[in-house]
Amino acid sequence: MKHLATIILLSACLATAAEAHWVLDSDNSALSFVSTKAINIAEVHKFAELEGEVTPAGEVQLTITLASVDTGIELRDDRMREMLFDTANFSTANVTANIDAEAIESMAPGDTREIMVDATLTLHGESQTLPMALLVAKSGMSRLLVTTLKPVVVNAPEFKLVEGIERLREVAGLPSISTAVPVTFVLSFDKT
């Protein structure tokens, strides 16, 4: 009888682990990107509004509100919203991926794990698969931290953003703006 109770308890624990749902803590998460203008002037920008989750099946969804772009200069933010991202027609960028949820759930607090993920970025009406090298850290029984191990490079031509970049370049009177944009993030998830 004791053996049966142990099996039932173990089965319940495994079922709970497989059903973990993680929700992004946007206040403790950040997504930044670097723009390079005039060949060698690099500036770091961010998006202030992020939403996301990891489902029990390991489906990752991240939504970036493009109107929340924050470059530190309000006029530039407005221009990026209108000329580059066209937020009137494309309000968000979306990232989807699949991870091994059971492997993540089996991590003990304090454990870290490097993972490779092929994520799909949908931006400006276009979708591309981007490989991402990530570090996952379990900082507690109900807290995950996911960060890029190296920047993810988003190439503007793949998302039909070159025309917008050219418009920004012209209005700012710059000789060039790079179309290759490194992106990094630190995402904090809470188990619900």
Side-chain angles (χ1 to χ4, degrees), residues 1 14 21 46 49 62 85 87-88 102 115 125 137 143 149 158 161 167 174-175 182 191:
M1 187 68 170
L14 291 174
H21 184 247
K46 67 179 181 177
E49 294 179 22
L62 178 67
F85 297 124
T87 57
E102 288 182 24
I115 63 172
R143 191 105 167 140
L149 282 170
E158 295 176 351
L161 292 171
R167 289 177 65 201
L174 294 168
K191 188 192 293 187

Side-chain angles (χ1 to χ4, degrees), residues 1 3 36 48-49 124 151 153 177:
M1 187 68 170
H3 183 66
T36 305
E49 294 179 22
H124 205 248
V153 178
I177 297 177

Side-chain angles (χ1 to χ4, degrees), residues 94-98 116-122 128-132 134 152:
N94 299 287
V95 179
T96 57
N98 287 291
M116 285 298 300
V117 174
D118 286 327
T120 299
L121 171 62
T122 301
Q128 295 291 329
T129 300
L130 302 173
M132 297 184 184
L134 306 176
V152 177

Side-chain angles (χ1 to χ4, degrees), residues 11-182:
S11 297
C13 289
L14 291 174
T16 301
E19 295 174 9
H21 184 247
W22 300 87
V23 177
L24 185 74
D25 175 0
S26 58
D27 292 335
N28 290 301
S29 298
L31 188 146
S32 303
F33 65 99
V34 177
S35 67
T36 305
K37 62 186 181 184
I39 300 174
N40 60 1
I41 300 172
E43 297 175 302
V44 179
H45 315 296
K46 67 179 181 177
F47 289 99
E49 294 179 22
L50 308 171
E51 292 181 10
E53 67 176 345
V54 181
T55 70
E59 297 167 349
V60 179
Q61 298 176 349
L62 178 67
T63 301
I64 304 154
T65 302
L66 296 174
S68 74
V69 66
D70 181 357
T71 67
I73 299 172
E74 191 173 332
L75 177 60
R76 182 167 54 192
D77 295 347
D78 290 340
R79 287 175 174 170
M80 289 183 82
R81 288 181 193 109
E82 181 184 330
M83 296 178 188
L84 178 62
F85 297 124
D86 184 14
T87 57
N89 293 305
F90 304 101
S91 61
T92 62
N94 299 287
V95 179
T96 57
N98 287 291
I99 62 167
D100 183 346
E102 288 182 24
I104 299 301
E105 188 61 33
S106 69
M107 293 171 62
D111 284 354
T112 60
R113 178 170 289 163
E114 293 182 18
I115 63 172
M116 285 298 300
V117 174
D118 286 327
T120 299
L121 171 62
T122 301
L123 171 63
H124 205 248
E126 301 295 320
S127 294
Q128 295 291 329
T129 300
L130 302 173
M132 297 184 184
L134 306 176
L135 180 68
V136 179
K138 197 165 192 181
S139 56
M141 288 303 294
S142 60
R143 191 105 167 140
L144 281 180
L145 195 64
V146 180
T147 184
T148 46
L149 282 170
K150 53 186 175 181
V152 177
V153 178
V154 175
N155 291 299
E158 295 176 351
F159 297 95
K160 297 185 179 175
L161 292 171
V162 174
E163 183 179 325
I165 289 174
E166 183 61 17
R167 289 177 65 201
L168 289 173
R169 186 198 64 74
E170 288 175 0
V171 76
L174 294 168
S176 65
I177 297 177
S178 177
T179 59
V181 180

